[in-house]
Amino acid sequence: MQIELWINEKKVRAAIEPDTLLIDFLREQGCSSVKRGCETSNCGLCTVFMDEKPVLSCSVLAARADGHHIVTLEGLKEEAEGFGAYIADQGAEQCGFCNPGFMMNAIAMFRENPDPTDDEIREYLSGNLCRCSGYEGQMRGIKAYLAFCRQKGGQA
Amino acid sequence: MEKKLSLINQPIRKKDAMALVCGKPVYLDDIAPKDCLIVKLLHSPHAHALIEEIDTGAAEKVPGIEAIYTYKDVPQKRFTMAGQTYPEPSPYDRLILDRRMRFVGDVVAIVAGENEKAVDRALKLIKVRYQVLEPVLDFRRAKDADVLVHPEESWRALCEVGADNRRNLCASGVDEDGNLQTVMEDCEIVLEHTFHTKANQQAMMETFRTYASIDTYGRLHVVSSTQIVFHVRRILAHALDIPKSKIRVSKPRIGGGFGAKQTCVTEVFPAFVTWKTKKPAKLIFTRQESQTAGSPRHEMEMRVKVGAMRDGTIRAVDFYTLSNTGAYGEHGPTTVGLSGHKSIPLYNANLEAFRFQYDVVYTNVQAAGAYRGYGATQGIFALESMVNELADRLGIDPAVIREKNMIREGQVAASYYNEQMNACALDRCVARAKEMFGWDEKPLRQDMGNGKVRAKGMAMAMQGSGISGMDVGSATIKLNDDGFYVLSIGAADMGTGCDTTLAQIAAECMECDLDNVIVYGADSDSSPYDSGSYASSTIYVTGKAVEKACRELREHMSVIAAGILDCPPQELIFAADGVATADGGKKVSLGELAERSMNGNTETVQVTVTHSSPVSPPPFMAGMAEVEVDMETGAVELLDYVAVVDCGTPINSNLVRVQTEGGLAQGIGMALYEDIHYDAKGRIAEDSLMQYKIPTRLDTGRLRVEFEGSYEKTGPFGAKSIGEVVINTPAPAIAHAVYNATGVWHRELPITPEKVLMGILRREKEE
C-alpha cells in the first residue's frame, strides 16, 4: 500500500506492507537514530513525534502515519545539540543506545512543561529505560540545561 | 611527567558524546550493509531433547531463502563461546549446531534469506521430530545426576578446573588457608546460612548482534557488538574450523555490554552463513532471544559459615558455592572463584582460617556467562549479609564490626592470592559513607506511624583490576603531521568511555590537548593485541600500556629533535608545544618535528607497548541504603543510597561517577526487581522487558556518590578499576535494611513485595 507523510518536514511517498511498523519504516527511510530495545513497548528507545506528540514507533503501524507529520532526532538537530551537550557534560550518555528516545521524550517534556520539578521529570521520562547511567547523570544534565534556559530568560 | 596533572581526574566529555546524543548512525545495525542476508535461528522448545528428524524441504522452497543449516552441516570440533585467554578455562562443549538440545532456546537451525518475512515463514516450515528427554532443571540435584547434560565423548576441558562431564561438573575445587576446624571450634559464635541469587540478565539496551562479509582478499570480516575482538577471532576459527588468518573482527560503537558481550553469543551464526554463502549476513537478536539464549549471571547458592568472638572479631570463614552454569560452561570455572576470592578478603584483618569450596554444575537451562561483578556480586551478597547478621546477633553496630575486621592498606591477604594491598582506602570509604548518610544519627529502624517503617543497611565490596598474570593490554601511539597522535587500542569502549579515558592518559603523557589524540579501535587486523574489555582491566592494564608507549615515543621524538637542534637527546626537555634544550635556548615545535619525521627520517615514530600485571589491585567501596517498607503490602521503596568508592586515582571524574551510579542501579534491580522463574518444562517466564523488570528512574531512589582516593603504584597515574565493584553493595545493603525494617532476613534475591509480606506474616505467626 501507498502512504504519504512528512518525515522531518520532508514529504515522503512510499510503498509499504500493511504490517510494516513505523520504526522499521523510519529506519528504512534513513532515520537511524530510531532504536529498538524491546518488542513489548517497554523501553522507550523508539520514541518519535507524530504530529508533535511522542509515540512509540514500535507500536504504531506505518500505515497509521499516512498523512501525518513525523519527527525523529535527525529533524531536531539544533535542540539535540543544545540539550545533548548538557548530557554529554555529565558523561551520562554512556553507551548512547537509549539516547535518541530519551532525547525525544525530554524535548517533548521541555515543550510541554518548561519548568518541571524533579518528580515531574522522573514521571515524564519513566518510560525511557537506560541500563548504563543509573539515571542520576541524566537528571543532573536536565537540571543544568533547565537552569541555563532560565538564565537565558527564554523557555527550554 | 612529574608536573601537575592537567587531564587526569577531570570531568572531560567523552570523545563520542555528541555523536551519541545526536543519534548518529554508529551502531552495528546502522552500518551493516543493506544487502545483508537476514539470519535468524530456530530455537528448541524443549529443555532436553535429541533431534530425531529435521525436514527443511518446505522451508527451503520459500522464495528468498538462501540457506538453511542444521547439525548435519556444521564442523564437528567442540569449542567454547567464552571470551577468555587461550587455553580457556571454560570447557569445549559447544558445536555451532548440535543434535542434542540442552535448554529451551538452544539452537536447532540457522535460516538465512533475503528478507525478514521470508525467513520468518521458513522458520515456521521447518519440521523437527524430537526425542524429548528428561531434563536436569534443579541445579541442587545436578551433580552426579542420572541424566547427563554433556554425555558426548568429544566434550573436553583444556584446563585443570575440576570438570567432569560424566558428573555434570563444569568445575570444582577448594582453596584454604589455616586450620579451619580448630579455629572454628575455638570461636564463641558460629553462624551459618544459605543464600541464593538468580541468573540476572545484563539487559544492555542494544541486544546481541553481528554481521559478516567477505573482504577484498577473500577473508571473513566479522563486525560485532563485542567486548573482545581478538577472542572472537580465535573462537570463530575454532567454530568454523578455518585458519585464524582468514578472519578479521572489528567493532562499531556498542550499545552496552556489562559482560554479556564477553561471550560469542551471536557471532558464529552469521559468520558461518557468510563463510558458506560468501554473502554478507547479519543476525540481530530480539529482546526475547537476549533474555532466553544470552549469557546471564550464574545462578548461585552459597553456604556461608562465619566464626567470631563475642567482641565481633571475625576469625574464620567457610564458604561453599554451588554455581549453575546451565547448558554450556561459558565462564563457569572462573566466575565461581570470585564468589569466595573477592568476598572473604574483605575481612582479612583478624582472619585466621578460611576455606572456599565450589562446584559448578551443568543443567538444562540457559547457559550463563559474564555479568559485571562476575561472581563477586553473588559472594558479597552472601558474606555481607552474614556479617550484618553477626553484628545483629552480637548487638554490635554493623559499621563498627566492619571497622574491627576490614582489610586495610599494607595488609597481605591469604584469601586473595597473597597479594599485598598497596592502595586501600576502604576504611575511609566507610567513614565517609557514615558521614554522608548520617549513619550514627539514624536509628536502625523507625516506625513512621503510617504503616510504613524506615530502616538502614550497609555493605562493603571489592573487585579486582584485571586478571593478574594473564590479561594483556597493548597500545600503539603514532606521531602524525602537525604533531597529532593516533592511539590504537584493542580494548573495547562499550559506552564506558575508554576511548576517551585512554586518550586522556596519552594526552597527559604527551602533554598535549585531548583533541590532539585520535583513538582507533578495536580491530583484530590493526589494533595491538588486547585481551579485551572485561575483568575491570581496561584502565588498569591497557591504561598502563598507553602510559608506557607514550614514554617510549617521547624518547624517539627527542632523538629526532636532537638531530634538528644538534645536541644530545638527554639534554632536551619535552614540553606541550615542542622539544627544547634545557636552557630554553633552542626549540623545535611539534609540527616541525612531525614534519621532519616524514622526511629522511630513520627514527621510529610509532610505538607499541604491551603490558600485563602480576597483581590485580582491588578497588573497594562502602554502600549504605535507607528503605521504607510498607508493612501492609511488603513494598520496599529505596529512599537514599550512599556510595563511597576507592578506585585509586579516578581518570575521568564524570565517568567514574556515572559508572558508579549505573552499577548501583543494576545492583538495586538485582536486589529488588529482577527475577527469573522457570516453568516445569524449563522455559523462562521473564523473557521480555515487560516481565523482567529492570529499574526505571522511579525505582532507583536518590544515589549519592563520592570517592576516596588512594594511589595504586602499579596503575596508570595511580588508577585502579571502577566498572564492576560498583554493582556489589546494593543487594546486601538493601537486604540488611529490609531486615532492620521487618525483622526478616531475605537470603534469596530479588526481595519482592510478596516475599517481604510473607516474611512479615510468618514472623508475626511465630511470635
Side-chain angles (χ1 to χ4, degrees), chain B residues 400-439:
Chain B
V400 172
I401 201 167
R402 287 181 167 84
E403 284 156 4
K404 195 178 179 68
N405 295 290
M406 74 169 77
I407 189 162
R408 286 169 195 266
E409 198 155 278
Q411 285 182 8
V412 173
S415 54
Y416 194 68
Y417 318 105
N418 288 308
E419 274 188 31
Q420 184 167 25
M421 301 298 122
N422 298 327
C424 172
L426 181 57
D427 50 349
R428 283 184 279 129
C429 289
V430 171
R432 180 64 191 136
K434 281 172 74 173
E435 274 173 29
M436 286 171 68
F437 189 84
W439 181 265

Side-chain angles (χ1 to χ4, degrees), chain A residues 52-54 105-116 124:
Chain A
E52 300 189 355
K53 283 215 165 58
N105 238 356
I107 290 168
M109 175 178 73
F110 298 143
R111 289 177 180 181
E112 205 176 304
N113 179 4
D115 192 21
Y124 200 102

Side-chain angles (χ1 to χ4, degrees), chain A residues 20-76:
Chain A
T20 301
L21 294 172
L22 183 57
I23 181 175
D24 296 318
F25 176 70
L26 289 171
R27 285 188 61 86
E28 269 169 34
Q29 294 291 318
C31 300
S32 301
S33 74
V34 186
K35 295 287 189 279
R36 179 186 262 116
C38 70
E39 299 92 42
T40 48
S41 317
N42 289 98
C43 71
L45 267 62
C46 64
T47 304
V48 300
F49 294 166
M50 190 172 193
D51 301 334
E52 300 189 355
K53 283 215 165 58
V55 297
L56 296 174
S57 62
C58 75
S59 304
V60 175
L61 288 171
R64 280 194 51 197
D66 187 26
H68 292 276
H69 289 260
I70 304 294
V71 174
T72 70
L73 201 58
E74 282 86 353
L76 296 174

Side-chain angles (χ1 to χ4, degrees), chain B residues 392-659:
Chain B
D392 183 72
R393 288 282 194 93
L394 294 171
I396 300 176
D397 184 296
V400 172
I401 201 167
R402 287 181 167 84
E403 284 156 4
K404 195 178 179 68
N405 295 290
M406 74 169 77
I407 189 162
R408 286 169 195 266
E409 198 155 278
Q411 285 182 8
V412 173
S415 54
Y416 194 68
Y417 318 105
N418 288 308
E419 274 188 31
Q420 184 167 25
M421 301 298 122
N422 298 327
C424 172
L426 181 57
D427 50 349
R428 283 184 279 129
C429 289
V430 171
R432 180 64 191 136
K434 281 172 74 173
E435 274 173 29
M436 286 171 68
F437 189 84
W439 181 265
D440 288 337
E441 294 77 49
K442 279 188 182 143
L444 277 178
R445 176 183 199 278
Q446 189 184 1
D447 196 323
M448 303 307 287
N450 57 356
K452 294 183 177 179
V453 173
R454 275 189 194 179
K456 64 178 183 180
M458 74 170 292
M460 303 190 305
M462 63 181 286
Q463 196 80 32
S465 300
I467 306 173
S468 52
M470 180 175 283
D471 281 347
V472 171
S474 307
T476 299
I477 184 130
K478 174 168 73 167
L479 173 70
N480 299 270
D481 322 37
D482 296 347
F484 80 92
Y485 305 96
V486 172
L487 174 66
S488 298
I489 52 167
D493 191 336
M494 56 188 127
T496 46
C498 76
D499 284 357
T500 305
T501 51
L502 293 174
Q504 280 177 253
I505 293 174
E508 185 71 31
C509 294
M510 302 312 294
E511 302 185 42
C512 66
D513 289 344
L514 189 66
D515 289 343
N516 250 24
V517 180
I518 309 303
V519 184
Y520 178 79
D523 183 326
S524 65
D525 274 5
S526 53
S527 298
Y529 181 79
D530 197 291
S531 322
S533 285
Y534 59 86
S536 291
S537 63
T538 300
I539 270 299
Y540 178 71
V541 181
T542 309
K544 194 71 185 176
V546 172
E547 189 194 320
K548 286 166 139 181
C550 290
R551 204 179 300 148
E552 217 174 285
L553 180 61
R554 282 168 61 122
E555 284 170 20
H556 289 292
M557 287 168 67
S558 293
V559 171
I560 298 173
I564 300 169
L565 300 175
D566 197 22
C567 68
Q570 55 273 19
E571 282 176 17
L572 292 172
I573 291 175
F574 203 98
D577 49 351
V579 183
T581 50
D583 58 7
K586 284 192 282 181
K587 187 171 177 181
V588 53
S589 75
L590 211 53
E592 239 175 290
L593 204 163
E595 205 175 284
R596 182 61 70 91
S597 79
M598 295 171 176
N599 189 348
N601 173 47
T602 55
E603 186 70 21
T604 295
V605 286
Q606 170 168 325
V607 171
T608 300
V609 168
T610 295
H611 177 71
S612 186
S613 174
V615 292
S616 176
F620 294 97
M621 78 183 288
M624 291 180 177
E626 183 172 34
V627 303
E628 189 169 87
V629 179
D630 186 326
M631 303 298 277
E632 299 292 317
T633 66
V636 177
E637 190 186 350
L638 181 63
L639 300 177
D640 187 23
Y641 202 96
V642 164
V644 183
V645 187
D646 161 24
C647 59
T649 305
I651 299 296
N652 184 313
S653 53
N654 270 350
L655 298 182
V656 290
R657 177 173 303 277
V658 178
Q659 279 291 307

Side-chain angles (χ1 to χ4, degrees), chain B residues 84-267:
Chain B
Q84 300 179 300
T85 296
Y86 183 85
E88 301 97 323
S90 304
Y92 279 23
D93 54 13
R94 292 249 188 195
L95 295 173
I96 300 173
L97 297 167
D98 210 338
R99 204 186 145 208
R100 182 180 294 271
M101 298 291 105
R102 296 184 178 84
F103 69 99
V104 177
D106 211 349
V107 184
V108 181
I110 307 169
V111 180
E114 283 167 13
N115 59 65
E116 203 167 340
K117 276 206 162 154
V119 173
D120 284 340
R121 243 187 97 201
L123 281 169
K124 289 197 180 107
L125 291 172
I126 297 173
K127 290 194 188 70
V128 191
R129 200 172 75 226
Y130 296 98
Q131 179 192 341
V132 179
L133 304 170
E134 189 192 329
V136 184
L137 293 178
D138 183 352
F139 77 123
R140 296 172 186 91
R141 293 182 181 182
K143 187 176 160 183
D144 295 320
D146 295 334
V147 177
L148 292 180
V149 178
H150 285 279
E152 64 275 5
E153 290 293 323
S154 54
W155 177 97
R156 67 193 178 106
L158 276 63
C159 301
E160 292 285 335
V161 292
D164 184 352
N165 61 322
R166 311 302 303 180
R167 301 182 63 198
N168 281 334
L169 270 181
C170 173
S172 61
V174 60
D175 181 24
E176 56 192 322
D177 186 70
N179 193 329
L180 185 82
Q181 202 185 338
T182 312
V183 179
M184 215 47 116
E185 277 168 9
D186 193 45
C187 284
E188 290 168 343
I189 177 168
V190 174
L191 290 183
E192 181 174 351
H193 283 297
T194 301
F195 299 84
H196 182 206
T197 60
K198 302 280 183 75
N200 298 103
Q201 287 286 349
Q202 299 88 348
M204 59 284 164
M205 285 295 115
E206 183 199 43
T207 58
F208 299 95
R209 53 195 60 194
T210 303
Y211 82 80
S213 59
I214 299 292
D215 75 5
T216 317
Y217 310 100
R219 297 165 74 226
L220 180 67
H221 183 193
V222 174
V223 181
S224 194
S225 184
T226 181
Q227 303 172 216
I228 42 156
V229 294
F230 287 98
H231 291 332
V232 170
R233 180 175 70 185
R234 185 193 64 246
I235 293 165
L236 287 177
H238 288 175
L240 273 54
D241 201 16
I242 61 175
K244 295 177 185 80
S245 61
K246 293 281 182 202
I247 304 172
R248 172 185 173 195
V249 181
S250 58
K251 73 150 200 49
R253 289 291 97 185
I254 302 174
F258 315 116
K261 295 169 183 174
Q262 196 198 337
T263 297
C264 269
V265 172
T266 48
E267 284 85 348

